[in-house]
Amino acid sequence: MLRREITAAIRDAVMHELAAVGYGRLSIEAVARRAGVGKTAIYRRWSNKLEMVLEIVTKVAGRKMPMPDTGTLRGDVEILLRILATALQHRLASQIIPDLLAEAARNPQIAETLHATLRGYSAELGTSLVGRAVERGELPPGTDPDTGVDVVLGPLYWRLAVARGPVDDAYLEHMADAVVAGLHASAASAVVPAVVPGAA
Amino acid sequence: MLRREITAAIRDAVMHELAAVGYGRLSIEAVARRAGVGKTAIYRRWSNKLEMVLEIVTKVAGRKMPMPDTGTLRGDVEILLRILATALQHRLASQIIPDLLAEAARNPQIAETLHATLRGYSAELGTSLVGRAVERGELPPGTDPDTGVDVVLGPLYWRLAVARGPVDDAYLEHMADAVVAGLHASAASAVVPAVVPGAA
DNA sequence: GTACGGCGGGACGCAACCGTAACGTCGTCG
DNA sequence: CGACGACGTTACGGTTGCGTCCCGCCGTAC
């Protein structure tokens, strides 16, 4: 029976170590040191650095993201931006996420795991955000949810994770306006003809 | 007199090694091996892994980005998206850029160098793209160039470097429409009052 | 009370790198 | 021709990490 507190300590140490040195430099010994644990305890649970990191990260990332329905597209977008901004400003997340994304560019197994998770979020987000807007009549049917997700998440991710610029309330407000306008425009320009019932 | 061909071989090897294993795992010995060069030749040029990478990367990134003036905001945006899409799909760039960005999150010196370069591009882009649109009357005066840059670059970066989804001509067209709309909206919602001469 | 199993600690042999130093080679300049 | 300097090679001692093994400790279940 593996002791839970030990497992928890290891998970915690992995996340911090990941943030501190990145996946490439992460060593089992450093994790053990930080967790105050013997290497044995780690190898008893996972057989690989890769396996260990993937299991731990997916377990963390698997937590459901809240996706409230505010009743308007603008409201949904704004709340989503706020959630994302908060998440991306957490110390651990802001270091681990870009690191794993970079690592995914060269490790197929990490890429698969990461992008599966991301696809999950995106799909959920696309259907709930764009889908509900379509139902409300705020966006035309046939709007592409994927493109919509890019428009919503891209700018804020760029600012927070790439440019590392400041984000305040006013910025989020303006961005929400811009995003909603962008959604309308991308929907309008997507000349995907609606399915006409009975047509050949 | 250090031999140029050797220096060039080392530069090349560093870029490839950076793409293959990332900054964290990059070793001088591996660079020397790949370049077909002795370690001595490397230490004769740089004293550090950090110094070496920074010098090489900034030299590569320092190449001027073409920023044509098409006469319309829509045209400028579209051509910019095409340039960015091409750049981000290059094998080396698509692996090195995210890697260094992730590394920047924990190495102040890399962060400083990278963000200085990025600020340079952004400033140039903001003044030329947004600035010219303002001069033409396509955007209201007082439009924030920084927010504009986020709106323009963010979505495409997200799709190419994060979600790793496909990008074709149609996508770029829709995205250009969305971005232009977003720029208008963010400009309109930015209630930065124009400076009234003579006001208190 | 005894057997069991997870635990930390420590040591193992092996491999990769670090940064430096001492060679001998080769092209170039004078 | 001779000196010089950049080069590749090899070796150095030292560090770090790997994955495995054994030890003695300790709580729990029987």
Side-chain angles (χ1 to χ4, degrees), chain B residues 70-87:
Chain B
T70 65
T72 64
L73 176 57
R74 174 57 161 72
D76 284 1
V77 166
E78 184 176 341
I79 226 171
L80 184 62
L81 290 183
R82 285 190 195 283
I83 293 174
L84 183 63
T86 306

Side-chain angles (χ1 to χ4, degrees), chain B residues 77-116:
Chain B
V77 166
E78 184 176 341
I79 226 171
L80 184 62
L81 290 183
R82 285 190 195 283
I83 293 174
L84 183 63
T86 306
L88 282 183
Q89 290 189 67
H90 270 84
R91 237 189 105 266
L92 287 185
S94 71
Q95 308 205 256
I96 294 179
I97 292 173
D99 183 83
L100 288 182
L101 280 174
E103 199 62 31
R106 65 180 81 93
N107 186 323
Q109 211 164 337
I110 293 186
E112 184 41 44
T113 306
L114 235 61
H115 289 142

Side-chain angles (χ1 to χ4, degrees), chain A residues 3 22 44 54 64 66 78 103 121 137 146 151 159 185:
Chain A
R3 281 166 55 189
R44 208 173 281 126
L54 284 184
K64 277 289 170 205
E78 183 175 340
E103 198 61 31
Y121 279 124
D146 283 352
V151 171
R159 161 145 306 214

Side-chain angles (χ1 to χ4, degrees), chain A residues 18-26 49 94-95 98-99 101-103 105-106 115 118 122 144 146-147 149-151 153-155 157-159 161-164 171 173-175 177-179 181-183 185-186 189-191, chain B residues 18-26 49 94-95 98-99 101-103 105-106 115 118 122 144 146-147 149-151 153-155 157-159 161-164 171 173-175 177-179 181-183 185-186 189-191:
Chain A
L18 219 41
V21 303
Y23 178 84
R25 274 197 189 293
L26 182 133
K49 167 170 130 179
S94 71
Q95 307 205 255
D99 183 82
L101 280 174
E103 198 61 31
R106 66 180 79 94
H115 289 142
L118 194 57
S122 294
D144 179 26
D146 283 352
T147 307
V149 168
D150 299 347
V151 171
L153 303 184
Y157 183 84
W158 174 273
R159 161 145 306 214
V162 179
R164 306 254 168 196
Y171 178 84
E173 295 282 340
H174 301 156
M175 196 46 78
D177 289 332
V179 163
L183 284 175
S186 84
S189 98
V191 278
Chain B
L18 219 41
V21 305
Y23 177 85
R25 275 195 191 293
L26 182 134
K49 167 169 129 179
S94 71
Q95 308 205 256
D99 183 83
L101 280 174
E103 199 62 31
R106 65 180 81 93
H115 289 142
L118 194 57
S122 294
D144 180 27
D146 283 352
T147 307
V149 169
D150 298 347
V151 171
L153 303 184
Y157 183 84
W158 173 272
R159 162 150 300 219
V162 180
R164 305 255 169 196
Y171 178 84
E173 295 283 340
H174 300 159
M175 196 47 78
D177 289 332
V179 163
L183 284 175
S186 86
S189 98
V191 279

